Amino acid sequence: MSFEVRKKKNPGMIVVRVLCVLMIAAIVWFINWDLMRDALRQEGLDIIFMGFVGIFLLFFVGSFYVQRRPRIEVNGQHIAIYPLWRPSKKITLREITSRKAEGDTSGEQLDAAIGGMLLGGMPAYALQQRYSDALQSPKEMSYTYYSGDTKLITVSTKGMENVERFDNMVVDKLEGKPLPGAGVKMTAEEVEPAEKTKLPLIFAGLAGVVCLVAVIVIVLIPRTGTRSPDLLAGTSWIAANDGSQWVFREDQTFHWYQTKGETDDNYFAGTYEFHIGQDALDYLTTELSRYAVTEREMRDVISRVPEYTVDNFVCFSCVNQSFMLNGQEQLSEENVSSYFGFLLLDGTYLDIANMTTGTYYGFMKE
């Protein structure tokens, strides 16, 4: 004789999963909403919201675990006990020495409590009356089984199948009635209780790792975004104010010469990282957040000038590795200069400002 005591198929679980997915989607949308993203990141509140995402992910994964994990497996006189959040334990029917049966009125009690807090008046009274009636003649029963003084498990007929079948088998045993397969000789291996399995702990650990990885991925995606094309690579620009020449090469290196054509002295040199469009806004508000320029502020600037758009907004950083002046190296270590502005006139005019010094530059593309 083999059967299982487990959760009945419950459409409510599907509702829980759908709600979890909707809440995760809503939170991710909210923390990436243009009006909220900068404020949340600057205050560090986005991490709190991502924590809520992790909680809903745990609920989502847990709904499958709760529904699929059996509570009791019966195979003749051999029984596997599966507490919901503890390791399983294998015993024989003879090891169950006592049971406790009581009415399960948890649902009515919860309804009465909620009704008293939220409804009041006659609706609350009706729910309280229903709870009182349930105490007198409960429709559902819960059973707790013991081995000596050790509690094995509690199961309820509410939402579970085969509970009464298992309880009848235990009652027969406690009353001394013949047990299933009583005349069958068992081996020593069958009589000895099996070792506790660590499967639930392994499953819980894997679920936690999956949720943690998912949260990390979700956190990183909005911060990195899609990398924009490098429109500076392989180009040369002439400054409108002093005629200096800024050359960007395909390998993401640059030289900024004080005088065009004089490349052996009086220049800055190093590497650069270029961003444009929404990618530039993300780079400005995350990687360059020390400058405290928010996306909302930049969008306000963009809205005031017809030539300015998100699409032509640029932001880039230059790592200055060398500064030659009159034949002498001026740098003892690298330093970084960051710029932001707009690429105008069909990509032929670079209107930018140095974020450290506040100096504005205009460059015409050669």
Side-chain angles (χ1 to χ4, degrees), residues 186-219:
M186 295 184 295
T187 64
E189 183 181 19
E190 292 175 323
V191 173
E192 294 178 358
E195 293 183 358
K196 296 181 179 179
T197 177
K198 296 183 179 180
L199 183 59
L201 298 179
I202 295 174
F203 180 86
L206 290 176
V209 170
V210 170
C211 292
L212 179 61
V213 171
V215 169
I216 292 174
V217 169
I218 293 173
V219 169

Side-chain angles (χ1 to χ4, degrees), residues 79-288:
I79 299 170
I81 302 293
Y82 294 91
L84 194 55
W85 304 113
R86 291 183 287 117
S88 64
K89 181 179 182 181
K90 293 187 177 181
I91 62 173
T92 62
L93 183 58
R94 291 182 175 85
E95 292 180 62
I96 300 178
T97 58
S98 62
R99 65 185 271 276
K100 180 175 71 174
E102 56 186 354
D104 188 347
T105 59
S106 55
E108 291 81 1
Q109 183 179 15
L110 179 61
D111 289 342
I114 295 175
M117 290 187 297
L118 302 179
L119 300 178
M122 290 303 297
Y125 174 78
L127 290 174
Q128 187 65 43
Q129 189 62 39
R130 189 175 73 176
Y131 173 54
S132 300
D133 294 341
L135 287 177
Q136 300 298 323
S137 54
K139 296 179 180 179
E140 307 291 346
M141 297 293 295
S142 68
Y143 303 97
T144 304
Y145 302 100
Y146 298 86
S147 178
D149 295 330
T150 302
K151 176 182 173 181
L152 298 174
I153 197 170
T154 297
V155 292
S156 172
T157 58
K158 181 180 293 183
M160 290 187 184
E161 57 187 18
N162 291 327
V163 174
E164 295 289 1
R165 182 179 181 184
F166 178 77
D167 187 67
N168 290 336
M169 187 174 70
V170 173
V171 170
D172 288 344
K173 179 264 176 186
L174 295 177
E175 292 178 352
K177 296 180 180 179
L179 300 178
V184 178
K185 184 177 180 181
M186 295 184 295
T187 64
E189 183 181 19
E190 292 175 323
V191 173
E192 294 178 358
E195 293 183 358
K196 296 181 179 179
T197 177
K198 296 183 179 180
L199 183 59
L201 298 179
I202 295 174
F203 180 86
L206 290 176
V209 170
V210 170
C211 292
L212 179 61
V213 171
V215 169
I216 292 174
V217 169
I218 293 173
V219 169
L220 292 181
I221 285 177
R223 293 178 181 270
T224 57
T226 302
R227 184 67 181 271
S228 54
D230 185 356
L231 301 183
L232 295 183
T235 64
S236 175
W237 304 76
I238 303 297
N241 63 332
D242 60 7
S244 60
Q245 182 187 33
W246 207 349
V247 179
F248 299 89
R249 294 185 170 83
E250 297 285 353
D251 61 354
Q252 278 69 56
T253 62
F254 75 90
H255 281 78
W256 190 349
Y257 303 107
Q258 184 178 18
T259 304
K260 179 181 178 181
E262 296 182 7
T263 60
D264 58 348
D265 196 7
N266 301 320
Y267 62 80
F268 284 94
T271 61
Y272 73 94
E273 179 180 347
F274 177 81
H275 301 267
I276 188 170
Q278 183 61 49
D279 180 34
L281 287 174
D282 293 340
Y283 179 73
L284 173 65
T285 56
T286 55
E287 300 300 322
L288 303 181

Side-chain angles (χ1 to χ4, degrees), residues 20 24 27-28 47-61 207-208 210-212 214-216 218-219:
C20 287
I24 291 171
I27 293 173
V28 172
I47 302 300
I48 296 177
F49 281 97
M50 293 315 302
F52 285 118
V53 170
I55 291 173
F56 283 112
L57 281 172
L58 287 173
F59 276 124
F60 183 81
V61 174
V210 170
C211 292
L212 179 61
V215 169
I216 292 174
I218 293 173
V219 169

Side-chain angles (χ1 to χ4, degrees), residues 65-85:
Y65 172 78
V66 169
Q67 190 165 27
R68 292 180 178 273
R69 180 173 172 82
R71 303 307 302 278
I72 300 173
E73 284 184 348
V74 178
N75 184 15
Q77 297 183 41
H78 300 281
I79 299 170
I81 302 293
Y82 294 91
L84 194 55
W85 304 113

